[in-house]
Amino acid sequence: MESPVSEPTPSRWDSQFWPAVFLLCFFLSCWAVHVGWESKNLPGGEFRQAQTAHSAYWIKAENNFSPAYPTPVLGKPWSIPMEFPLYQWTVVITGKATGWGLTKAGRAVSIACFYLCLPALFLLLARWRVAPAHRWLVLAVVVTCPFYLFYARAFLMETMALMFSLWFWVAFERAVAERSKAWLAVAILAGAGAGLVKVTTFMLYLLPAGWWAVGRLWTARKTTWKIDVAWMAGAVAVPFAATLWWLHFADATKAQNPLAVFLTSDNMTVFNFGNQEIRWSAELWAAKWRIIREELSWWPVLAGGGLLAVVGGRARWRDLLGCLAAFGSVLVIFPLLYARHEYYFLANAVLLLLALGLALVALAEGRLPRVLVVAAACLILGGQGWRYLERYYPTQRAISRGGSGLSDALRTLTDPEDVIVILGQDWNSILPYYAQRRALMFRDDIGRDGKRVEAALAALEGHKIGALILAGQPDGQQWLIDRAAARGLEREPLIVWHDCRVYLPAARKDELIAALQENGFHEVHLAPGVPLLMPKLDNRWIDLASLPRWQRGAFAAMQPQPVRFFSRFGPNTDGSSGTLLYGAHPITRLVFALPAGRHVLRTTLQMPLDAYRNDLQDAEATDGVEVSLHQLTPVGHPLMGYYFNPRHNREDRGVARPLEFRFELEQAGEIELYFGPGPANKDTRDWIQMGPLTIE
């Protein structure tokens, strides 16, 4: 893919304008990839991101930098190596060096690798005799691509593989053409990195490098072809050997786990490379076309680029067609991967962008007025920026703690060394990663195989099962419930989340229910039939600090909250009106600790109409409630008081009757807000409710 045309000489204006355009686009790109930097979720291909992040988490947790790195989702042995873990190692080391969490470190490494692709592209464009000024225009197209702005910061090794592959391509051509030992060393290192980190990406960039090699050998067929072959072999021998070694090592490691055998190269051949039926499936091509049209850029931008290529790109037709052919080749070679996983386009989208940029270069090299060239470039670059803002920015800017209420619950209700067993989520790492737990996940077909289930559970000898999660209604669930119950789990689910039922250790049932009530995990509920734990809080003094957090909710609308309380019937609240009302039925006592000085207590009081209806006899209706404030001293010191009686006082009827007590404390101490029966000393229908309370 080397253009035969001589390199045009751009004007001084071009040499200043296009680098400035690139710098502007680059700074905007730096802003975009950092949007939502604090968020801990992994949008976009979360299944694969979580798998990579899960490996990095356990590499860090175990300080395990072995090639047989942990990915604990399919039980013991915990290693199921897919790609060589150079990316994960780099993330862990970066996190330790910077103090960042794994998510930030993963994003930083991915972003750095993406930007390190740019110098390689700059040098490739030089091989195609694109003038330096115009190379900046092509790079501006690359850095404004909405797909890369979103996915270049993903927790994936894709941009690292792309970086190595592009540098291999550059170094391979230069080493052979220039007989350069330095470039040969770069080609060997970059090629080995590409083959180890992501062999499918390396295979893509072997195609244009190989095409260039064939052309060079043909040209030199009567002269130096043998020397060229020697240099080419020197450039690829180590990368090929490293790749083959890794594939053999990874397969041998995965074969040690009966549940991971399906991931070996032989068993993944059809999934990776497809077959004739899959390769030409109309449904899969429609899926790939949708990704190209909707994900990679904005379809008017691609259509406009195509029009530019047809109208003004004839001088660059070989480069354009070469980029497009390489871009499309992997859609045929790996038909399923690119149809089902849009993040795979991180490997080849840059080739489509090079074609788009080269169409603009051809326009700039032609005789069109400069204003038209600038307008076309602005439309392409602006269109890509708009597409990012319209499609990806809203998702990226959302700040999330990551995971779900279920992963939060599992992280709280299980111990760090526990194993969670999951059926009905295939081998999806999302839940184990956010829960930060090792997992034994059964695919649905294995869940029906009692012998394999029992063997996998037996392999956990020495590990405690912290939870069993059944998603949906998977086959084999009763067998798994029985096996889990034999290892100490409940036979009935304790909590539910969406369609997931969670079985937890029977010996810790009350403790786990209390923890669930205290934490209130999002959308996590006790399973039907599981009773709430309701410790008796009535008719005795209780220190608020002694209560679990979930029981302190009754006092959430009080600022400050009481240090202790007495409630004859126990504290209760009513939030049905939109305002949290505290039930202060006599006798209720709330004790607050305050500093010295002047204070104002503000709240509201109300009673429902049924407490004082006109048709009620005096003996059946409320006779009012005494509300008083006392400073707690050895002898007690009354501060303020109010007799609340809606039956005889119209001002007390209705809702939210304001109450204000102003008082002064000569020294720091405690005050008691007291709710007692009326003059007849009876509490019939004394259903008084207190609104939000403040003491300033």
Side-chain angles (χ1 to χ4, degrees), residues 471-668:
Q473 296 293 330
D475 292 341
Q477 59 179 323
Q478 191 55 53
W479 172 274
L480 194 53
I481 292 170
D482 293 341
R483 301 283 76 73
R487 289 165 172 81
L489 269 61
E490 288 275 357
R491 285 190 172 275
E492 297 296 330
L494 192 68
I495 61 175
V496 294
W497 178 84
H498 293 198
D499 68 339
C500 294
R501 291 158 291 144
V502 182
Y503 300 74
L504 294 164
R508 299 174 57 207
K509 181 175 181 179
D510 289 349
E511 171 195 344
L512 296 173
I513 294 174
L516 178 70
Q517 293 177 220
E518 180 175 355
N519 288 278
F521 304 107
H522 184 59
E523 297 182 320
V524 175
H525 309 284
L526 288 173
V530 177
L532 288 169
L533 291 180
M534 297 298 293
K536 296 188 66 175
L537 303 180
D538 58 309
N539 214 33
R540 63 190 180 99
W541 280 100
I542 296 174
D543 289 334
L544 194 68
S546 68
L547 295 181
R549 186 170 58 184
W550 65 272
Q551 284 191 300
R552 301 178 200 172
F555 307 94
M558 301 182 194
Q559 295 296 329
Q561 293 187 344
V563 293
R564 62 184 180 276
F565 66 92
F566 177 95
S567 179
R568 181 179 176 187
F569 298 102
N572 66 85
T573 58
D574 179 5
S576 60
S577 65
T579 300
L580 189 64
L581 302 176
Y582 181 84
H585 194 291
I587 292 174
T588 292
R589 293 178 168 181
L590 304 173
V591 176
F592 301 88
L594 300 177
R598 295 182 178 179
H599 300 279
V600 182
L601 182 153
R602 293 187 178 92
T603 186
T604 59
L605 304 175
Q606 64 188 67
M607 276 191 186
L609 178 61
D610 282 346
Y612 55 89
R613 294 196 320 263
N614 291 332
D615 60 332
L616 294 174
Q617 299 295 322
D618 286 345
E620 298 174 337
T622 179
D623 64 343
V625 174
E626 176 193 346
V627 184
S628 57
L629 191 66
H630 301 263
Q631 182 178 3
L632 295 184
T633 63
V635 296
H637 178 60
L639 295 172
M640 304 286 291
Y642 182 77
Y643 175 42
F644 182 82
N645 185 8
R647 184 170 175 84
H648 297 112
N649 186 355
R650 291 182 176 273
E651 293 181 359
D652 290 341
R653 297 176 186 175
V655 298
R657 194 275 185 206
L659 178 70
E660 182 177 293
F661 288 157
R662 294 180 179 270
F663 58 96
E664 183 174 357
L665 299 180
E666 294 183 359
Q667 58 185 14

Side-chain angles (χ1 to χ4, degrees), residues 238-257:
V238 172
F240 283 10
T243 302
L244 292 173
W245 163 78
W246 174 250
L247 292 175
H248 175 76
F249 176 86
D251 281 347
T253 304
K254 285 180 280 194
Q256 296 176 25
N257 185 335

Side-chain angles (χ1 to χ4, degrees), residues 440 452-462 487:
L440 170 56
R452 295 179 72 182
V453 170
E454 185 59 44
L457 290 172
L460 295 179
E461 187 68 32
R487 289 165 172 81

